[in-house]
Amino acid sequence: MSKSILKWAGGKTTLLPKIKVRLDKISNKENAIFYDLFAGGGSVSFEFSSLFKHTVLNDINKEITDLYKVIKSNPLELIEKLLEYQQKHNKDFYYKIRSLDRDQNYKQLDGITKAARTIYLNKTCFNGLYRVNSKGQFNVPIGRQAKIKIYDEMVFMEIHKKLQNIDITNHDFNYLINNNVPKPGDVVYIDPPYDKISDNSFVEYSTNGFSSYDQERLAKDVKTLTERGVYVIVSNSYTERTKKLYAEFFDKNSIIKVRRLIGASVSSRNQVDEILVDNIKQVKENVNKNKKT
Ligand SMILES: C[S@@+](CC[C@H](N)C(=O)[O-])C[C@H]1O[C@@H](n2cnc3c(N)ncnc32)[C@H](O)[C@@H]1O
């Protein structure tokens, strides 16, 4: 099983075997393109990219997509920088690195320094949270761990190799769907920020968050893809809204108990129900109907 480079809220490592069961029902994957539209920590892309002709890893968070671009092209320089950060790690260093995005020259900073900062903060901040303020500045305090290991060279090089057959894009999920990019027979994995169970559950991954309106336009896109003959697998939290939005896709294995690994507080790490649904049956039925007519 692929290890990830980042601790990411909603990371899908524990769900991978269940996603694999669904992918196994799809034939001809070696000729299909796999779209991971909300890639986050990337565990799904890295685990399954070898089953497909090609993979597109997308996320709206540019810091993550830029990081993957650096690992794809410059892993050794990045590892060198991470080693330096690991050796220098202490409270003052943490806040010095965290404050880089408050500097007006931050945008001009080289890609390797920015990527190293993203990993370093992710591995040393409180609970691996990703949270930015309204200006897009990272604002999570330092974590409590005494010893840190911010990277594993073997994992890095493994992911570097996998990225050679992965395109990295930075769009709102709707962009690729709207532009008719996934074609019939392609496979789209959708893992949006969780639909909110309560108002204080953790769903902030970017400055804009993900609203109930976003959940609804996403479900509409799933319908569009189904009509287009594109296979879709969706995970989300199990709420009244997701139950309604994905009702037609539920099967007997769609409600899953998953222990969330990252929460804003210890109490929000409790076990919660999630959903995993797919449209494979509907797409196959449509294909058969079209063959008959
Ligand atoms: C639940 S996480 C994905 C976790 C990922 N599957 C993993 O295994 O780590 C949701 C991701 O969606 C991204 N996101 C939020 N809004 C988005 C949007 N409108 N379009 C694309 N990605 C978005 C966030 O940046 C975040 O990385």
Side-chain angles (χ1 to χ4, degrees):
M1 193 179 281
S2 304
K3 291 201 184 106
S4 193
I5 309 175
L6 297 169
K7 282 193 211 167
W8 206 246
K12 282 291 145 326
T13 314
T14 51
L15 217 58
L16 293 175
K18 292 187 164 64
I19 296 173
K20 175 74 167 50
V21 169
R22 287 170 192 265
L23 286 174
D24 283 345
K25 296 192 225 156
I26 302 172
S27 51
N28 209 15
K29 289 192 286 293
E30 59 287 359
N31 291 316
I33 299 183
F34 180 58
Y35 295 87
D36 186 3
L37 291 186
F38 298 81
S43 56
V44 176
S45 285
F46 301 140
E47 182 72 9
F48 299 124
S49 60
S50 61
L51 304 177
F52 294 89
K53 183 172 146 200
H54 199 69
T55 294
V56 175
L57 177 163
N58 179 73
D59 201 285
I60 204 164
N61 185 325
K62 193 167 181 304
E63 242 186 273
I64 319 186
T65 51
D66 282 352
L67 163 65
Y68 292 137
K69 285 181 187 166
V70 170
I71 297 172
K72 183 171 177 172
S73 57
N74 277 322
L76 296 176
E77 284 94 330
L78 179 55
I79 287 175
E80 211 174 293
K81 194 92 187 164
L82 286 172
L83 179 63
E84 179 197 323
Y85 282 14
Q86 186 161 292
Q87 285 163 348
K88 288 187 177 160
H89 175 62
N90 62 30
K91 192 174 170 194
D92 288 347
F93 187 71
Y94 176 88
Y95 285 104
K96 184 177 145 203
I97 295 294
R98 194 185 84 163
S99 70
L100 286 178
D101 64 359
R102 272 86 175 153
D103 190 308
Q104 51 179 355
N105 295 323
Y106 179 63
K107 281 211 166 92
Q108 277 79 54
L109 210 61
D110 67 283
I112 291 168
T113 304
K114 279 194 214 156
R117 175 179 177 273
T118 301
I119 295 184
Y120 170 71
L121 293 179
N122 175 261
K123 291 293 173 73
T124 55
C125 74
F126 182 73
N127 264 353
L129 291 179
Y130 185 87
R131 191 185 60 203
V132 287
N133 62 19
S134 57
K135 292 181 192 148
Q137 298 161 339
F138 189 77
N139 66 1
V140 180
I142 191 168
R144 294 199 198 105
Q145 59 275 50
K147 274 204 170 152
I148 58 149
K149 182 163 189 329
I150 60 176
Y151 70 99
D152 176 325
E153 194 160 339
M154 268 182 41
V155 174
F156 243 83
M157 294 320 284
E158 197 187 304
I159 287 176
H160 164 71
K161 266 193 216 140
K162 291 183 181 191
L163 281 167
Q164 303 313 306
N165 198 29
I166 297 179
D167 280 345
I168 302 156
T169 61
N170 173 232
H171 301 298
D172 176 72
F173 65 86
N174 178 260
Y175 177 86
L176 295 170
I177 300 169
N178 224 1
N179 282 292
N180 228 342
V181 177
K183 301 286 180 233
D186 285 343
V187 181
V188 175
Y189 177 59
I190 289 185
D191 183 27
Y194 293 117
D195 185 34
K196 280 193 184 189
I197 296 169
S198 65
D199 279 345
N200 54 9
S201 47
F202 178 74
V203 284
E204 303 298 329
Y205 295 88
S206 63
T207 327
N208 305 323
F210 203 83
S211 64
S212 51
Y213 166 73
D214 291 319
Q215 297 289 356
E216 279 160 24
R217 72 187 174 99
L218 176 60
K220 255 192 217 149
D221 278 353
V222 173
K223 290 209 165 111
T224 306
L225 290 170
T226 307
E227 283 156 19
R228 214 187 275 166
V230 176
Y231 295 110
V232 181
I233 300 176
V234 182
S235 37
N236 206 322
S237 48
Y238 181 45
T239 63
E240 282 308 313
R241 183 180 296 109
T242 59
K243 197 162 100 183
K244 234 188 259 157
L245 290 176
Y246 297 105
E248 63 192 291
F249 302 118
F250 268 74
D251 58 41
K252 64 179 186 345
N253 298 319
S254 284
I255 301 171
I256 304 171
K257 296 230 178 283
V258 183
R259 190 167 285 278
R260 291 213 182 139
L261 295 175
I262 302 180
S265 68
V266 174
S267 62
S268 64
R269 291 182 184 201
N270 291 339
Q271 200 149 319
V272 289
D273 288 349
E274 295 195 15
I275 60 161
L276 186 65
V277 295
D278 69 62
N279 68 356
I280 300 170
K281 191 172 127 227
Q282 286 80 354
V283 168
K284 286 186 178 169
E285 278 170 5
N286 285 346
V287 171
N288 286 337
K289 232 188 275 162
N290 292 341
K291 268 189 201 155
K292 282 182 196 150
T293 52

